[in-house]
Amino acid sequence: NAAVLVASRDCVGWGFTDGSDPTADKAIVVALGTVVKLDESLRELAGLPMNWMATRTTRDSPWQWEPRPADWDDDVEVGGEG
C-alpha cells in the first residue's frame, strides 16, 4: 500500500493522497476508520483544524501542519465525515 503523505480537512470531510496530484477518476470514498486501520499514525491528525493540511515526506516522517492553499482544488477531494 502507498503511504499517506498528504492529508487535508475541509467542511466536506477528509482527503488523503500519497503526494501525487489527486484526480477525480482515482478518488474513492472510504470511512476514516478504514484509513486509520491502514496507517495508525493518521490518529495524530485528529485535531487538524478545518481547512488545514498535513504533509510528510515518508510514512515514518513527522507530520507538518499548515493552512491549505487558497487555490486548493476542492473538486477532486473526496472524504468521509469530518
Side-chain angles (χ1 to χ4, degrees):
N1 293 338
V4 174
L5 302 179
V6 179
S8 65
R9 185 176 184 197
D10 66 12
C11 63
V12 175
W14 293 86
F16 303 99
T17 74
D18 62 1
S20 62
D21 289 333
T23 59
D25 65 323
K26 294 192 304 186
I28 61 170
V29 176
V30 296
L32 183 57
T34 301
V35 178
V36 170
K37 285 181 185 176
L38 295 173
D39 184 346
E40 290 283 328
S41 73
L42 296 174
R43 291 183 186 277
E44 298 171 27
L45 304 180
L48 189 69
M50 197 73 61
N51 295 318
W52 277 56
M53 63 189 293
T55 60
R56 61 185 177 179
T57 55
T58 69
R59 182 184 306 262
D60 298 321
S61 299
W63 287 105
Q64 303 295 315
W65 294 19
E66 61 185 294
R68 287 179 16 166
D71 63 348
W72 188 273
D73 186 356
D74 290 322
D75 293 337
V76 297
E77 186 167 335
V78 176
E81 291 184 18

